[in-house]
Amino acid sequence: MSVRDLTPLSETRRAEVLRDSPKMFESPLLDRFSRVHPAMPLVFFVPFIALLAAFGIERVGAGRGLLWILGGGLFWTFAEYWLHRTVFHFEPDHPLGRRLHFIIHGVHHDHPNDRMRLVMPPSASLPLAALFLLLFRYALGPHHWLAFSAGFLLGYLVYDMTHYHLHHHKPRTRLGKLLREQHMRHHFQDHETGFGVSSPVWDHVFRTVPRRRSAGAR
């Protein structure tokens, strides 16, 4: 059942559908690995980011290393926007493609309040991270890629934790409230806008900021 089909349901039933996602695999083992505690990205990535940052700063110096880390984090915000808009929301016509889309991102849109299917499973995030790091090593050379990769992966962690926070807490800061409003509009009003989760910058650049509906709009 899609989120867009929930309007006639009672609030209790609606909350159940938004929270409880179905099994995605017949195998109990595979299905178990599709459900991830939101702390898992921290467990896997924090030590690796620390090592990348330490080796990167050792190679290029503290000042330049911090700048490369900042650059990697800024580049992540664009990658986050681009992946969300062009990959996660690409819905192929082929049944296998639709199935893959549901596994990758569709299940989150249909059941956005399922805490165990909110962050990316390590079985997907670790290979993707390795691919990006290989690209950075090739593009930036043997020294600068380390600090840049640390910033990029730190940006990913900020995204994952921000995403969880926006769904399961009520932000108190002005920025947090803005991000939550934009992300909820992406889920429940217009899924073709609001692709930035941890940063609204690229939605402004590419004119995909969610708009408030007028009083007479349905």
Side-chain angles (χ1 to χ4, degrees):
M1 178 180 289
S2 170
V3 168
R4 291 184 289 276
D5 300 327
L6 295 177
T7 304
L9 299 180
S10 68
E11 286 301 314
T12 300
R13 175 59 179 148
R14 187 173 188 269
E16 290 174 354
V17 172
L18 291 175
R19 182 181 65 249
D20 298 326
S21 62
K23 288 181 61 176
M24 289 200 295
F25 302 98
E26 290 298 323
S27 167
L29 181 62
L30 285 177
D31 194 70
R32 181 178 180 182
F33 278 107
S34 74
R35 299 179 185 273
V36 183
H37 191 279
M40 288 304 291
L42 296 172
V43 173
F44 278 95
F45 284 100
V46 166
F48 191 49
I49 291 170
L51 287 173
L52 286 170
F55 284 121
I57 289 174
E58 182 184 24
R59 295 279 184 90
V60 301
R64 292 176 63 190
L66 290 174
L67 288 176
W68 279 100
I69 290 172
L70 177 61
L74 292 175
F75 183 72
W76 162 259
T77 64
F78 175 74
E80 171 194 314
Y81 177 91
W82 178 80
L83 288 169
H84 192 181
R85 181 174 181 176
T86 64
V87 178
F88 294 167
H89 278 270
F90 175 65
E91 300 184 41
D93 293 329
H94 192 278
L96 177 60
R98 290 197 296 270
R99 171 69 173 160
L100 287 173
H101 171 263
F102 179 77
I103 291 172
I104 293 171
H105 196 60
V107 65
H108 173 57
H109 267 266
D110 287 356
H111 307 276
N113 293 342
D114 189 333
R115 293 174 181 266
M116 302 303 285
R117 284 204 171 119
L118 188 57
V119 301
M120 188 176 293
S123 57
S125 62
L126 292 176
L128 283 173
L131 176 60
F132 273 107
L133 265 57
L134 285 173
L135 291 173
F136 297 154
R137 170 64 177 80
Y138 177 79
L140 301 176
H143 301 297
H144 300 103
W145 76 276
L146 291 162
F148 188 86
S149 297
F152 183 84
L153 293 181
L154 180 61
Y156 162 70
L157 273 189
V158 170
Y159 151 77
D160 245 357
M161 297 303 102
T162 300
H163 193 199
Y164 182 83
H165 177 59
L166 297 181
H167 275 280
H168 295 291
H169 301 104
K170 291 184 178 180
R172 297 182 179 182
T173 66
R174 183 176 180 181
L175 176 60
K177 291 176 181 178
L178 171 66
L179 292 176
R180 177 176 167 83
E181 178 184 348
Q182 175 164 306
H183 193 57
M184 293 304 106
R185 289 186 185 281
H186 170 77
H187 270 284
F188 300 106
Q189 179 175 304
D190 182 4
H191 65 271
E192 294 183 354
T193 61
F195 298 105
V197 177
S198 64
S199 169
V201 170
W202 297 106
D203 280 297
H204 286 279
V205 172
F206 295 108
R207 299 182 180 180
T208 54
V209 177
R211 303 296 181 187
R212 285 187 172 89
R213 288 177 174 173
S214 62
R218 294 182 180 272

